[in-house]
PDB file of all heavy atoms in Angstrom:
ATOM      1  N   THR A 543      57.775-132.228 -89.088  1.00 86.00           N
ATOM      2  CA  THR A 543      56.647-131.641 -88.365  1.00 86.00           C
ATOM      3  C   THR A 543      55.660-130.925 -89.281  1.00 86.00           C
ATOM      4  O   THR A 543      54.497-130.789 -88.926  1.00 86.00           O
ATOM      5  CB  THR A 543      57.140-130.641 -87.302  1.00 86.00           C
ATOM      6  OG1 THR A 543      57.909-129.626 -87.953  1.00 86.00           O
ATOM      7  CG2 THR A 543      57.975-131.341 -86.241  1.00 86.00           C
ATOM      8  N   HIS A 544      56.128-130.471 -90.433  1.00 91.00           N
ATOM      9  CA  HIS A 544      55.239-129.789 -91.365  1.00 91.00           C
ATOM     10  C   HIS A 544      55.932-129.700 -92.719  1.00 91.00           C
ATOM     11  O   HIS A 544      57.139-129.918 -92.826  1.00 91.00           O
ATOM     12  CB  HIS A 544      54.887-128.386 -90.855  1.00 91.00           C
ATOM     13  CG  HIS A 544      56.075-127.483 -90.795  1.00 91.00           C
ATOM     14  ND1 HIS A 544      57.010-127.539 -89.787  1.00 91.00           N
ATOM     15  CD2 HIS A 544      56.499-126.513 -91.645  1.00 91.00           C
ATOM     16  CE1 HIS A 544      57.949-126.638 -90.007  1.00 91.00           C
ATOM     17  NE2 HIS A 544      57.673-126.010 -91.123  1.00 91.00           N
ATOM     18  N   GLY A 545      55.146-129.387 -93.709  1.00 90.00           N
ATOM     19  CA  GLY A 545      55.730-129.246 -95.030  1.00 90.00           C
ATOM     20  C   GLY A 545      54.696-129.370 -96.116  1.00 90.00           C
ATOM     21  O   GLY A 545      53.494-129.186 -95.885  1.00 90.00           O
ATOM     22  N   ALA A 546      55.158-129.697 -97.291  1.00 92.00           N
ATOM     23  CA  ALA A 546      54.296-129.862 -98.459  1.00 92.00           C
ATOM     24  C   ALA A 546      54.640-131.185 -99.132  1.00 92.00           C
ATOM     25  O   ALA A 546      55.800-131.604 -99.138  1.00 92.00           O
ATOM     26  CB  ALA A 546      54.493-128.702 -99.430  1.00 92.00           C
ATOM     27  N   LYS A 547      53.624-131.814 -99.657  1.00 93.00           N
ATOM     28  CA  LYS A 547      53.809-133.048-100.433  1.00 93.00           C
ATOM     29  C   LYS A 547      52.872-132.990-101.619  1.00 93.00           C
ATOM     30  O   LYS A 547      51.826-132.334-101.583  1.00 93.00           O
ATOM     31  CB  LYS A 547      53.470-134.290 -99.602  1.00 93.00           C
ATOM     32  CG  LYS A 547      54.478-134.624 -98.538  1.00 93.00           C
ATOM     33  CD  LYS A 547      54.146-135.953 -97.898  1.00 93.00           C
ATOM     34  CE  LYS A 547      55.114-136.277 -96.786  1.00 93.00           C
ATOM     35  NZ  LYS A 547      54.777-137.538 -96.135  1.00 93.00           N
ATOM     36  N   HIS A 548      53.264-133.693-102.651  1.00 93.00           N
ATOM     37  CA  HIS A 548      52.329-133.849-103.758  1.00 93.00           C
ATOM     38  C   HIS A 548      52.313-135.301-104.191  1.00 93.00           C
ATOM     39  O   HIS A 548      53.285-136.039-104.040  1.00 93.00           O
ATOM     40  CB  HIS A 548      52.609-132.874-104.908  1.00 93.00           C
ATOM     41  CG  HIS A 548      53.915-133.063-105.603  1.00 93.00           C
ATOM     42  ND1 HIS A 548      55.100-132.570-105.118  1.00 93.00           N
ATOM     43  CD2 HIS A 548      54.211-133.671-106.759  1.00 93.00           C
ATOM     44  CE1 HIS A 548      56.076-132.866-105.946  1.00 93.00           C
ATOM     45  NE2 HIS A 548      55.565-133.542-106.945  1.00 93.00           N
ATOM     46  N   TYR A 549      51.145-135.685-104.641  1.00 95.00           N
ATOM     47  CA  TYR A 549      50.893-137.053-105.062  1.00 95.00           C
ATOM     48  C   TYR A 549      50.236-137.026-106.431  1.00 95.00           C
ATOM     49  O   TYR A 549      49.615-136.039-106.822  1.00 95.00           O
ATOM     50  CB  TYR A 549      49.955-137.763-104.075  1.00 95.00           C
ATOM     51  CG  TYR A 549      50.537-137.897-102.691  1.00 95.00           C
ATOM     52  CD1 TYR A 549      50.182-137.020-101.674  1.00 95.00           C
ATOM     53  CD2 TYR A 549      51.464-138.894-102.396  1.00 95.00           C
ATOM     54  CE1 TYR A 549      50.724-137.142-100.406  1.00 95.00           C
ATOM     55  CE2 TYR A 549      52.009-139.010-101.134  1.00 95.00           C
ATOM     56  CZ  TYR A 549      51.631-138.137-100.144  1.00 95.00           C
ATOM     57  OH  TYR A 549      52.172-138.248 -98.890  1.00 95.00           O
ATOM     58  N   PHE A 550      50.377-138.121-107.141  1.00 95.00           N
ATOM     59  CA  PHE A 550      49.739-138.263-108.437  1.00 95.00           C
ATOM     60  C   PHE A 550      48.751-139.416-108.355  1.00 95.00           C
ATOM     61  O   PHE A 550      49.118-140.524-107.979  1.00 95.00           O
ATOM     62  CB  PHE A 550      50.768-138.539-109.545  1.00 95.00           C
ATOM     63  CG  PHE A 550      50.119-138.706-110.882  1.00 95.00           C
ATOM     64  CD1 PHE A 550      49.744-137.589-111.620  1.00 95.00           C
ATOM     65  CD2 PHE A 550      49.838-139.964-111.372  1.00 95.00           C
ATOM     66  CE1 PHE A 550      49.099-137.745-112.838  1.00 95.00           C
ATOM     67  CE2 PHE A 550      49.195-140.127-112.596  1.00 95.00           C
ATOM     68  CZ  PHE A 550      48.832-139.011-113.326  1.00 95.00           C
ATOM     69  N   HIS A 551      47.514-139.144-108.699  1.00 94.00           N
ATOM     70  CA  HIS A 551      46.486-140.189-108.744  1.00 94.00           C
ATOM     71  C   HIS A 551      46.191-140.485-110.206  1.00 94.00           C
ATOM     72  O   HIS A 551      46.046-139.552-111.016  1.00 94.00           O
ATOM     73  CB  HIS A 551      45.211-139.722-108.025  1.00 94.00           C
ATOM     74  CG  HIS A 551      44.230-140.816-107.841  1.00 94.00           C
ATOM     75  ND1 HIS A 551      43.346-141.186-108.821  1.00 94.00           N
ATOM     76  CD2 HIS A 551      44.015-141.640-106.796  1.00 94.00           C
ATOM     77  CE1 HIS A 551      42.612-142.192-108.386  1.00 94.00           C
ATOM     78  NE2 HIS A 551      42.994-142.485-107.157  1.00 94.00           N
ATOM     79  N   PRO A 552      46.106-141.752-110.586  1.00 91.00           N
ATOM     80  CA  PRO A 552      45.933-142.092-112.002  1.00 91.00           C
ATOM     81  C   PRO A 552      44.638-141.561-112.615  1.00 91.00           C
ATOM     82  O   PRO A 552      44.554-141.429-113.835  1.00 91.00           O
ATOM     83  CB  PRO A 552      45.971-143.625-112.023  1.00 91.00           C
ATOM     84  CG  PRO A 552      45.754-144.053-110.620  1.00 91.00           C
ATOM     85  CD  PRO A 552      46.200-142.937-109.739  1.00 91.00           C
ATOM     86  N   VAL A 553      43.650-141.229-111.801  1.00 91.00           N
ATOM     87  CA  VAL A 553      42.378-140.746-112.341  1.00 91.00           C
ATOM     88  C   VAL A 553      42.268-139.228-112.277  1.00 91.00           C
ATOM     89  O   VAL A 553      41.868-138.589-113.249  1.00 91.00           O
ATOM     90  CB  VAL A 553      41.185-141.408-111.607  1.00 91.00           C
ATOM     91  CG1 VAL A 553      39.862-140.837-112.077  1.00 91.00           C
ATOM     92  CG2 VAL A 553      41.218-142.922-111.799  1.00 91.00           C
ATOM     93  N   VAL A 554      42.634-138.626-111.158  1.00 94.00           N
ATOM     94  CA  VAL A 554      42.415-137.186-110.980  1.00 94.00           C
ATOM     95  C   VAL A 554      43.683-136.355-111.151  1.00 94.00           C
ATOM     96  O   VAL A 554      43.639-135.139-111.100  1.00 94.00           O
ATOM     97  CB  VAL A 554      41.756-136.870-109.617  1.00 94.00           C
ATOM     98  CG1 VAL A 554      40.387-137.533-109.523  1.00 94.00           C
ATOM     99  CG2 VAL A 554      42.644-137.272-108.457  1.00 94.00           C
ATOM    100  N   GLY A 555      44.822-136.999-111.329  1.00 94.00           N
ATOM    101  CA  GLY A 555      46.056-136.282-111.601  1.00 94.00           C
ATOM    102  C   GLY A 555      46.805-135.837-110.360  1.00 94.00           C
ATOM    103  O   GLY A 555      46.688-136.431-109.289  1.00 94.00           O
ATOM    104  N   GLU A 556      47.573-134.753-110.509  1.00 96.00           N
ATOM    105  CA  GLU A 556      48.460-134.283-109.454  1.00 96.00           C
ATOM    106  C   GLU A 556      47.671-133.534-108.380  1.00 96.00           C
ATOM    107  O   GLU A 556      46.765-132.760-108.680  1.00 96.00           O
ATOM    108  CB  GLU A 556      49.539-133.385-110.042  1.00 96.00           C
ATOM    109  CG  GLU A 556      50.691-133.171-109.114  1.00 96.00           C
ATOM    110  CD  GLU A 556      51.918-132.626-109.811  1.00 96.00           C
ATOM    111  OE1 GLU A 556      51.977-132.623-111.051  1.00 96.00           O
ATOM    112  OE2 GLU A 556      52.828-132.221-109.076  1.00 96.00           O
ATOM    113  N   MET A 557      48.060-133.793-107.128  1.00 96.00           N
ATOM    114  CA  MET A 557      47.420-133.144-105.985  1.00 96.00           C
ATOM    115  C   MET A 557      48.506-132.613-105.056  1.00 96.00           C
ATOM    116  O   MET A 557      49.499-133.291-104.818  1.00 96.00           O
ATOM    117  CB  MET A 557      46.533-134.144-105.241  1.00 96.00           C
ATOM    118  CG  MET A 557      45.350-134.617-106.070  1.00 96.00           C
ATOM    119  SD  MET A 557      44.366-135.855-105.209  1.00 96.00           S
ATOM    120  CE  MET A 557      45.438-137.276-105.358  1.00 96.00           C
ATOM    121  N   HIS A 558      48.286-131.404-104.527  1.00 96.00           N
ATOM    122  CA  HIS A 558      49.253-130.742-103.654  1.00 96.00           C
ATOM    123  C   HIS A 558      48.649-130.533-102.270  1.00 96.00           C
ATOM    124  O   HIS A 558      47.541-130.016-102.156  1.00 96.00           O
ATOM    125  CB  HIS A 558      49.665-129.398-104.264  1.00 96.00           C
ATOM    126  CG  HIS A 558      50.365-129.556-105.567  1.00 96.00           C
ATOM    127  ND1 HIS A 558      51.734-129.633-105.650  1.00 96.00           N
ATOM    128  CD2 HIS A 558      49.896-129.687-106.831  1.00 96.00           C
ATOM    129  CE1 HIS A 558      52.075-129.799-106.920  1.00 96.00           C
ATOM    130  NE2 HIS A 558      50.981-129.836-107.654  1.00 96.00           N
ATOM    131  N   PHE A 559      49.414-130.921-101.255  1.00 95.00           N
ATOM    132  CA  PHE A 559      48.956-130.835 -99.873  1.00 95.00           C
ATOM    133  C   PHE A 559      49.975-130.099 -99.023  1.00 95.00           C
ATOM    134  O   PHE A 559      51.176-130.200 -99.257  1.00 95.00           O
ATOM    135  CB  PHE A 559      48.800-132.246 -99.268  1.00 95.00           C
ATOM    136  CG  PHE A 559      47.809-133.114 -99.977  1.00 95.00           C
ATOM    137  CD1 PHE A 559      48.198-133.894-101.054  1.00 95.00           C
ATOM    138  CD2 PHE A 559      46.497-133.159 -99.565  1.00 95.00           C
ATOM    139  CE1 PHE A 559      47.289-134.700-101.715  1.00 95.00           C
ATOM    140  CE2 PHE A 559      45.578-133.961-100.211  1.00 95.00           C
ATOM    141  CZ  PHE A 559      45.970-134.737-101.293  1.00 95.00           C
ATOM    142  N   SER A 560      49.482-129.410 -98.007  1.00 95.00           N
ATOM    143  CA  SER A 560      50.347-128.988 -96.912  1.00 95.00           C
ATOM    144  C   SER A 560      50.006-129.928 -95.764  1.00 95.00           C
ATOM    145  O   SER A 560      48.888-130.441 -95.684  1.00 95.00           O
ATOM    146  CB  SER A 560      50.098-127.531 -96.528  1.00 95.00           C
ATOM    147  OG  SER A 560      48.773-127.351 -96.092  1.00 95.00           O
ATOM    148  N   TYR A 561      50.976-130.191 -94.908  1.00 93.00           N
ATOM    149  CA  TYR A 561      50.700-131.122 -93.817  1.00 93.00           C
ATOM    150  C   TYR A 561      51.372-130.658 -92.537  1.00 93.00           C
ATOM    151  O   TYR A 561      52.321-129.871 -92.559  1.00 93.00           O
ATOM    152  CB  TYR A 561      51.168-132.543 -94.161  1.00 93.00           C
ATOM    153  CG  TYR A 561      52.657-132.696 -94.165  1.00 93.00           C
ATOM    154  CD1 TYR A 561      53.348-133.020 -93.005  1.00 93.00           C
ATOM    155  CD2 TYR A 561      53.403-132.492 -95.315  1.00 93.00           C
ATOM    156  CE1 TYR A 561      54.730-133.138 -92.998  1.00 93.00           C
ATOM    157  CE2 TYR A 561      54.769-132.604 -95.320  1.00 93.00           C
ATOM    158  CZ  TYR A 561      55.433-132.923 -94.160  1.00 93.00           C
ATOM    159  OH  TYR A 561      56.794-133.024 -94.153  1.00 93.00           O
ATOM    160  N   GLU A 562      50.838-131.159 -91.454  1.00 93.00           N
ATOM    161  CA  GLU A 562      51.429-130.985 -90.132  1.00 93.00           C
ATOM    162  C   GLU A 562      51.399-132.340 -89.448  1.00 93.00           C
ATOM    163  O   GLU A 562      50.425-133.076 -89.561  1.00 93.00           O
ATOM    164  CB  GLU A 562      50.658-129.964 -89.309  1.00 93.00           C
ATOM    165  CG  GLU A 562      50.757-128.554 -89.870  1.00 93.00           C
ATOM    166  CD  GLU A 562      50.126-127.529 -88.967  1.00 93.00           C
ATOM    167  OE1 GLU A 562      50.494-127.503 -87.774  1.00 93.00           O
ATOM    168  OE2 GLU A 562      49.283-126.785 -89.468  1.00 93.00           O
ATOM    169  N   SER A 563      52.485-132.657 -88.770  1.00 89.00           N
ATOM    170  CA  SER A 563      52.589-133.898 -88.005  1.00 89.00           C
ATOM    171  C   SER A 563      52.900-133.527 -86.567  1.00 89.00           C
ATOM    172  O   SER A 563      53.772-132.703 -86.320  1.00 89.00           O
ATOM    173  CB  SER A 563      53.712-134.790 -88.540  1.00 89.00           C
ATOM    174  OG  SER A 563      53.460-135.154 -89.866  1.00 89.00           O
ATOM    175  N   PHE A 564      52.188-134.125 -85.651  1.00 87.00           N
ATOM    176  CA  PHE A 564      52.453-133.844 -84.248  1.00 87.00           C
ATOM    177  C   PHE A 564      52.113-135.046 -83.394  1.00 87.00           C
ATOM    178  O   PHE A 564      51.310-135.896 -83.787  1.00 87.00           O
ATOM    179  CB  PHE A 564      51.695-132.598 -83.768  1.00 87.00           C
ATOM    180  CG  PHE A 564      50.241-132.590 -84.108  1.00 87.00           C
ATOM    181  CD1 PHE A 564      49.300-133.076 -83.216  1.00 87.00           C
ATOM    182  CD2 PHE A 564      49.797-132.095 -85.327  1.00 87.00           C
ATOM    183  CE1 PHE A 564      47.954-133.072 -83.527  1.00 87.00           C
ATOM    184  CE2 PHE A 564      48.452-132.083 -85.643  1.00 87.00           C
ATOM    185  CZ  PHE A 564      47.529-132.569 -84.732  1.00 87.00           C
ATOM    186  N   GLN A 565      52.763-135.118 -82.247  1.00 85.00           N
ATOM    187  CA  GLN A 565      52.494-136.217 -81.334  1.00 85.00           C
ATOM    188  C   GLN A 565      51.140-136.000 -80.683  1.00 85.00           C
ATOM    189  O   GLN A 565      50.762-134.874 -80.358  1.00 85.00           O
ATOM    190  CB  GLN A 565      53.586-136.330 -80.280  1.00 85.00           C
ATOM    191  CG  GLN A 565      54.894-136.796 -80.869  1.00 85.00           C
ATOM    192  CD  GLN A 565      55.978-136.968 -79.837  1.00 85.00           C
ATOM    193  OE1 GLN A 565      56.032-136.248 -78.862  1.00 85.00           O
ATOM    194  NE2 GLN A 565      56.853-137.935 -80.069  1.00 85.00           N
ATOM    195  N   VAL A 566      50.438-137.099 -80.500  1.00 83.00           N
ATOM    196  CA  VAL A 566      49.126-137.047 -79.878  1.00 83.00           C
ATOM    197  C   VAL A 566      49.310-136.697 -78.404  1.00 83.00           C
ATOM    198  O   VAL A 566      50.121-137.341 -77.716  1.00 83.00           O
ATOM    199  CB  VAL A 566      48.403-138.408 -80.036  1.00 83.00           C
ATOM    200  CG1 VAL A 566      47.078-138.408 -79.300  1.00 83.00           C
ATOM    201  CG2 VAL A 566      48.211-138.726 -81.515  1.00 83.00           C
ATOM    202  N   PRO A 567      48.607-135.666 -77.909  1.00 87.00           N
ATOM    203  CA  PRO A 567      48.743-135.325 -76.486  1.00 87.00           C
ATOM    204  C   PRO A 567      48.449-136.533 -75.603  1.00 87.00           C
ATOM    205  O   PRO A 567      47.469-137.245 -75.809  1.00 87.00           O
ATOM    206  CB  PRO A 567      47.700-134.219 -76.286  1.00 87.00           C
ATOM    207  CG  PRO A 567      47.519-133.625 -77.650  1.00 87.00           C
ATOM    208  CD  PRO A 567      47.697-134.779 -78.606  1.00 87.00           C
ATOM    209  N   GLY A 568      49.330-136.777 -74.669  1.00 86.00           N
ATOM    210  CA  GLY A 568      49.152-137.896 -73.754  1.00 86.00           C
ATOM    211  C   GLY A 568      49.698-139.213 -74.274  1.00 86.00           C
ATOM    212  O   GLY A 568      49.704-140.210 -73.558  1.00 86.00           O
ATOM    213  N   ASP A 569      50.142-139.252 -75.532  1.00 84.00           N
ATOM    214  CA  ASP A 569      50.711-140.479 -76.087  1.00 84.00           C
ATOM    215  C   ASP A 569      51.819-140.124 -77.059  1.00 84.00           C
ATOM    216  O   ASP A 569      51.593-139.963 -78.254  1.00 84.00           O
ATOM    217  CB  ASP A 569      49.643-141.327 -76.782  1.00 84.00           C
ATOM    218  CG  ASP A 569      50.150-142.697 -77.197  1.00 84.00           C
ATOM    219  OD1 ASP A 569      51.389-142.931 -77.176  1.00 84.00           O
ATOM    220  OD2 ASP A 569      49.327-143.553 -77.545  1.00 84.00           O
ATOM    221  N   GLY A 570      53.023-139.974 -76.553  1.00 77.00           N
ATOM    222  CA  GLY A 570      54.169-139.609 -77.372  1.00 77.00           C
ATOM    223  C   GLY A 570      54.576-140.662 -78.370  1.00 77.00           C
ATOM    224  O   GLY A 570      55.468-140.444 -79.184  1.00 77.00           O
ATOM    225  N   GLU A 571      53.948-141.825 -78.337  1.00 80.00           N
ATOM    226  CA  GLU A 571      54.267-142.913 -79.270  1.00 80.00           C
ATOM    227  C   GLU A 571      53.464-142.815 -80.564  1.00 80.00           C
ATOM    228  O   GLU A 571      53.735-143.542 -81.508  1.00 80.00           O
ATOM    229  CB  GLU A 571      53.988-144.271 -78.610  1.00 80.00           C
ATOM    230  CG  GLU A 571      54.753-144.498 -77.320  1.00 80.00           C
ATOM    231  CD  GLU A 571      56.253-144.428 -77.510  1.00 80.00           C
ATOM    232  OE1 GLU A 571      56.763-145.082 -78.435  1.00 80.00           O
ATOM    233  OE2 GLU A 571      56.906-143.703 -76.740  1.00 80.00           O
ATOM    234  N   GLN A 572      52.457-141.953 -80.600  1.00 84.00           N
ATOM    235  CA  GLN A 572      51.625-141.832 -81.792  1.00 84.00           C
ATOM    236  C   GLN A 572      51.812-140.459 -82.421  1.00 84.00           C
ATOM    237  O   GLN A 572      51.925-139.454 -81.728  1.00 84.00           O
ATOM    238  CB  GLN A 572      50.146-142.024 -81.444  1.00 84.00           C
ATOM    239  CG  GLN A 572      49.807-143.436 -81.046  1.00 84.00           C
ATOM    240  CD  GLN A 572      48.314-143.612 -80.872  1.00 84.00           C
ATOM    241  OE1 GLN A 572      47.527-142.996 -81.576  1.00 84.00           O
ATOM    242  NE2 GLN A 572      47.925-144.455 -79.935  1.00 84.00           N
ATOM    243  N   THR A 573      51.833-140.440 -83.741  1.00 85.00           N
ATOM    244  CA  THR A 573      51.950-139.201 -84.493  1.00 85.00           C
ATOM    245  C   THR A 573      50.711-139.056 -85.358  1.00 85.00           C
ATOM    246  O   THR A 573      50.338-139.986 -86.071  1.00 85.00           O
ATOM    247  CB  THR A 573      53.206-139.209 -85.385  1.00 85.00           C
ATOM    248  OG1 THR A 573      54.352-139.389 -84.546  1.00 85.00           O
ATOM    249  CG2 THR A 573      53.338-137.916 -86.155  1.00 85.00           C
ATOM    250  N   LEU A 574      50.103-137.904 -85.287  1.00 87.00           N
ATOM    251  CA  LEU A 574      48.941-137.604 -86.111  1.00 87.00           C
ATOM    252  C   LEU A 574      49.401-136.725 -87.261  1.00 87.00           C
ATOM    253  O   LEU A 574      50.077-135.710 -87.051  1.00 87.00           O
ATOM    254  CB  LEU A 574      47.876-136.875 -85.286  1.00 87.00           C
ATOM    255  CG  LEU A 574      46.609-136.468 -86.018  1.00 87.00           C
ATOM    256  CD1 LEU A 574      45.858-137.704 -86.530  1.00 87.00           C
ATOM    257  CD2 LEU A 574      45.719-135.653 -85.088  1.00 87.00           C
ATOM    258  N   CYS A 575      49.067-137.118 -88.479  1.00 88.00           N
ATOM    259  CA  CYS A 575      49.420-136.337 -89.668  1.00 88.00           C
ATOM    260  C   CYS A 575      48.127-135.777 -90.257  1.00 88.00           C
ATOM    261  O   CYS A 575      47.206-136.535 -90.554  1.00 88.00           O
ATOM    262  CB  CYS A 575      50.115-137.203 -90.702  1.00 88.00           C
ATOM    263  SG  CYS A 575      51.642-137.930 -90.099  1.00 88.00           S
ATOM    264  N   VAL A 576      48.093-134.469 -90.417  1.00 91.00           N
ATOM    265  CA  VAL A 576      46.918-133.791 -90.956  1.00 91.00           C
ATOM    266  C   VAL A 576      47.324-133.145 -92.277  1.00 91.00           C
ATOM    267  O   VAL A 576      48.258-132.345 -92.320  1.00 91.00           O
ATOM    268  CB  VAL A 576      46.404-132.721 -89.964  1.00 91.00           C
ATOM    269  CG1 VAL A 576      45.193-131.997 -90.547  1.00 91.00           C
ATOM    270  CG2 VAL A 576      46.067-133.349 -88.623  1.00 91.00           C
ATOM    271  N   TYR A 577      46.615-133.510 -93.330  1.00 92.00           N
ATOM    272  CA  TYR A 577      46.877-132.966 -94.660  1.00 92.00           C
ATOM    273  C   TYR A 577      45.770-131.980 -95.005  1.00 92.00           C
ATOM    274  O   TYR A 577      44.595-132.266 -94.796  1.00 92.00           O
ATOM    275  CB  TYR A 577      46.912-134.086 -95.700  1.00 92.00           C
ATOM    276  CG  TYR A 577      48.176-134.910 -95.635  1.00 92.00           C
ATOM    277  CD1 TYR A 577      48.418-135.790 -94.597  1.00 92.00           C
ATOM    278  CD2 TYR A 577      49.135-134.781 -96.627  1.00 92.00           C
ATOM    279  CE1 TYR A 577      49.586-136.532 -94.539  1.00 92.00           C
ATOM    280  CE2 TYR A 577      50.309-135.526 -96.585  1.00 92.00           C
ATOM    281  CZ  TYR A 577      50.522-136.385 -95.533  1.00 92.00           C
ATOM    282  OH  TYR A 577      51.685-137.108 -95.486  1.00 92.00           O
ATOM    283  N   ASN A 578      46.164-130.827 -95.543  1.00 93.00           N
ATOM    284  CA  ASN A 578      45.212-129.789 -95.915  1.00 93.00           C
ATOM    285  C   ASN A 578      45.422-129.398 -97.367  1.00 93.00           C
ATOM    286  O   ASN A 578      46.515-129.539 -97.907  1.00 93.00           O
ATOM    287  CB  ASN A 578      45.419-128.541 -95.042  1.00 93.00           C
ATOM    288  CG  ASN A 578      45.085-128.805 -93.601  1.00 93.00           C
ATOM    289  OD1 ASN A 578      43.964-129.127 -93.275  1.00 93.00           O
ATOM    290  ND2 ASN A 578      46.078-128.691 -92.735  1.00 93.00           N
ATOM    291  N   VAL A 579      44.345-128.878 -97.952  1.00 94.00           N
ATOM    292  CA  VAL A 579      44.422-128.349 -99.308  1.00 94.00           C
ATOM    293  C   VAL A 579      43.820-126.953 -99.320  1.00 94.00           C
ATOM    294  O   VAL A 579      43.004-126.608 -98.466  1.00 94.00           O
ATOM    295  CB  VAL A 579      43.685-129.247-100.332  1.00 94.00           C
ATOM    296  CG1 VAL A 579      44.309-130.623-100.387  1.00 94.00           C
ATOM    297  CG2 VAL A 579      42.218-129.336-100.040  1.00 94.00           C
ATOM    298  N   GLU A 580      44.231-126.183-100.289  1.00 94.00           N
ATOM    299  CA  GLU A 580      43.705-124.835-100.437  1.00 94.00           C
ATOM    300  C   GLU A 580      42.278-124.920-100.974  1.00 94.00           C
ATOM    301  O   GLU A 580      42.012-125.595-101.965  1.00 94.00           O
ATOM    302  CB  GLU A 580      44.598-124.048-101.398  1.00 94.00           C
ATOM    303  CG  GLU A 580      44.249-122.593-101.492  1.00 94.00           C
ATOM    304  CD  GLU A 580      45.211-121.843-102.398  1.00 94.00           C
ATOM    305  OE1 GLU A 580      46.412-122.169-102.393  1.00 94.00           O
ATOM    306  OE2 GLU A 580      44.729-120.949-103.106  1.00 94.00           O
TER     307      GLU A 580
END
């Protein structure tokens, strides 16, 4: 449902994200993932 992830891009390097995942209201079959950065 939430947490932190980091990715490495070959051009810009390491990136750190916090994220939240939740079911779309009215459609429990879909999950929306929102990634944020500081």
Side-chain angles (χ1 to χ4, degrees):
T543 58
H544 65 282
K547 288 187 182 178
H548 64 279
Y549 297 100
F550 179 81
H551 190 276
V553 175
V554 298
E556 196 164 347
M557 294 177 285
H558 297 267
F559 299 88
S560 61
Y561 72 88
E562 293 187 53
S563 299
F564 50 93
Q565 291 182 327
V566 176
D569 188 347
E571 302 301 311
Q572 291 187 34
T573 301
L574 179 63
C575 300
V576 179
Y577 285 72
N578 294 298
V579 298
E580 187 177 324

